[in-house]
């Protein structure tokens, strides 16, 4: 097995929304905001090469929406999904599987493109697209709180393509999967978010997705205002972070533009980051 971090682009989100009830005077110590109160965010995916399979975990927000959409998100930097795949030595047509942690637009938008006629088509024509069945039902009949995060243009073309596949195990931990990794299911952020747990070169890596978006979100009460069940997130986060510390699991951070991979320590204030690493420098080829 080989793993490749794939930077799919950078954007910004409102800092208050990203930290919920935590006062700005606290969260801006780790996540400084711009003049519109927005903090810097990454869209960091992970490519898993196992034999003849290339499994892409999440796809970023893509580029098919118009300027009026992207204006809200302050896109910055030079990363793109296709160029980052190319740096790793791959083409979108090489991808055999796309695994979605969940279907919020910043995690799945890059899975669908517009062709030159404006038709919506899968960006990875040779891939199966995997999502949890309960989450698919949640996303296709969204509640009012999450409706703006589930964009039909990102979701429905996958079903129409015939390339959509479901994970149906209710979890909370799925060891036997169609992938070379196990899956932790959590429900606080959204229904049945799937977190891959990967064993790689003698280490365990948790793809933390929106459970721990950035280093600034490690303290247990630092929970996004976007979460549908924040008290459940509180419980899930405490359990997973303590378990990760005890078992020396590394966290792969999807949304932190400055920290790719971190280890944890237990302090008098609770679980905190111990060290941070560039993925390629930590793991040998």
């Amino acid at each position: 097995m080989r793993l490749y971090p794939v930077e799919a682009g950078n954007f910004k989100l409102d800092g208050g929304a990203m930290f919920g009830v935590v006062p700005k005077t606290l969260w801006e110590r780790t996540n400084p905001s711009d003049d519109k109160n927005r903090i810097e965010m990454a869209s960091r995916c992970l490519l898993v090469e196992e034999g003849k399979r290339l499994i892409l975990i999440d796809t970023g927000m893509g580029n098919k929406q118009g300027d009026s959409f992207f204006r809200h998100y302050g896109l910055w930097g030079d990363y793109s999904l296709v160029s980052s795949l190319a740096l790793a030595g791959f083409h979108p047509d090489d991808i055999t599987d796309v695994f979605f942690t969940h279907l919020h637009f910043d995690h799945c938008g890059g899975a669908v493109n517009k062709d030159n006629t404006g038709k919506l088509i899968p960006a990875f024509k040779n891939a199966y697209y995997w999502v949890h069945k309960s989450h698919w039902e949640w996303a296709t009949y969204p509640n009012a709180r999450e409706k703006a995060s589930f964009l039909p243009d990102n979701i429905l073309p996958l079903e129409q393509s015939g390339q959509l596949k479901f994970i149906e195990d209710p979890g909370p931990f799925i060891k036997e999967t169609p992938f070379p990794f196990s899956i932790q299911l959590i429900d606080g952020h959204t229904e049945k978010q799937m977190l891959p747990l990967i064993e790689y070169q003698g280490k365990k890596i948790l793809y933390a997705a929106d459970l721990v978006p950035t280093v600034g979100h490690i303290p247990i009460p630092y929970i996004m205002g976007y979460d549908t069940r924040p008290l459940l997130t509180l419980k899930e986060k405490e359990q997973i972070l303590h378990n990760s510390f005890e078992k020396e699991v590394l966290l792969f951070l999807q949304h932190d533009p400055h920290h790719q991979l971190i280890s944890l320590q237990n302090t008098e204030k609770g679980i905190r980051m111990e060290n941070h690493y560039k993925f390629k420098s930590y793991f040998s080829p």
Side-chain angles (χ1 to χ4, degrees):
M1 180 194 292
R2 294 191 67 180
L3 301 182
Y4 308 85
V6 176
E7 303 285 350
N10 296 330
F11 62 105
K12 295 182 179 181
L13 282 179
D14 182 82
M18 282 300 296
F19 285 93
V21 301
V22 178
K24 182 177 181 178
T25 53
L26 296 180
W27 59 254
E28 69 177 352
R29 297 173 185 174
T30 54
N31 298 72
S33 61
D34 66 10
D35 58 357
K36 295 182 179 179
N37 206 48
R38 300 176 303 182
I39 65 171
E40 294 183 345
M41 302 279 287
S43 291
R44 183 173 298 114
C45 313
L46 189 63
L47 185 64
V48 181
E49 182 182 17
E50 174 70 5
K52 295 182 178 180
R53 294 180 74 185
L54 279 174
I55 304 161
L56 180 62
I57 302 174
D58 283 348
T59 64
M61 65 171 61
N63 58 12
K64 64 183 174 294
Q65 271 72 38
D67 291 342
S68 61
F69 176 85
F70 289 116
R71 195 175 301 120
H72 295 291
Y73 301 105
L75 304 187
W76 59 281
D78 299 322
Y79 293 124
S80 74
L81 180 58
V82 173
S83 63
S84 293
L85 285 173
L87 284 174
F90 302 105
H91 185 273
D93 293 351
D94 298 328
I95 304 301
T96 62
D97 303 86
V98 175
F99 176 97
F100 296 119
T101 59
H102 60 299
L103 295 172
H104 287 169
F105 69 84
D106 56 318
H107 293 258
C108 73
V112 174
N113 288 336
K114 285 184 178 178
D115 67 13
N116 54 17
T117 69
K119 181 182 178 181
L120 296 168
I121 59 172
F124 304 97
K125 66 179 184 180
N126 297 317
Y128 288 118
Y129 291 82
W130 297 85
V131 66
H132 198 279
K133 187 174 184 180
S134 294
H135 182 70
W136 175 264
E137 294 167 354
W138 183 271
T140 50
Y141 295 95
N143 59 77
R145 182 181 176 90
E146 282 186 282
K147 189 174 183 179
S149 294
F150 294 126
L151 306 183
D153 284 358
N154 289 339
I155 298 172
L156 298 183
L158 301 178
E159 182 178 41
Q160 295 160 2
S161 73
Q163 295 168 239
L164 184 65
K165 295 282 188 178
F166 291 125
I167 302 294
E168 300 190 39
D169 192 312
F173 190 77
I174 310 175
K175 188 172 183 180
E176 299 296 326
T177 78
F179 313 102
F181 50 79
S182 52
I183 299 169
Q184 175 78 55
L185 292 178
I186 56 175
D187 299 310
H189 179 59
T190 188
E191 179 75 8
K192 295 294 180 285
Q193 181 180 192
M194 298 196 292
L195 306 184
L197 180 62
I198 306 167
E199 295 191 22
Y200 184 58
Q201 294 191 16
K203 298 289 186 178
K204 292 184 178 181
I205 303 169
L206 179 70
Y207 188 94
D210 278 350
L211 178 70
V212 184
T214 74
V215 165
H217 289 86
I218 293 176
I220 302 300
Y222 286 44
I223 292 171
M224 291 187 289
Y226 299 111
D227 285 25
T228 59
R229 308 177 181 106
L231 292 181
L232 181 55
T233 297
L234 196 76
K235 181 178 179 181
E236 292 171 338
K237 188 175 173 184
E238 182 172 24
Q239 181 181 23
I240 290 172
L241 284 179
H242 279 278
N243 184 67
S244 296
F245 164 71
E246 291 171 0
K247 296 185 178 180
E248 299 183 339
V249 177
L250 300 167
L251 300 190
F252 183 88
L253 300 183
Q254 185 165 17
H255 286 312
D256 193 315
H258 308 295
H259 304 88
Q260 288 187 343
L261 190 71
I262 66 170
S263 59
L264 300 173
Q265 61 180 325
N266 197 6
T267 74
E268 60 182 14
K269 293 183 178 181
I271 301 295
R272 293 292 187 270
M273 179 179 73
E274 181 181 37
N275 292 306
H276 66 96
Y277 312 94
K278 288 290 186 182
F279 195 93
K280 290 182 179 179
S281 61
Y282 186 88
F283 290 106
S284 58

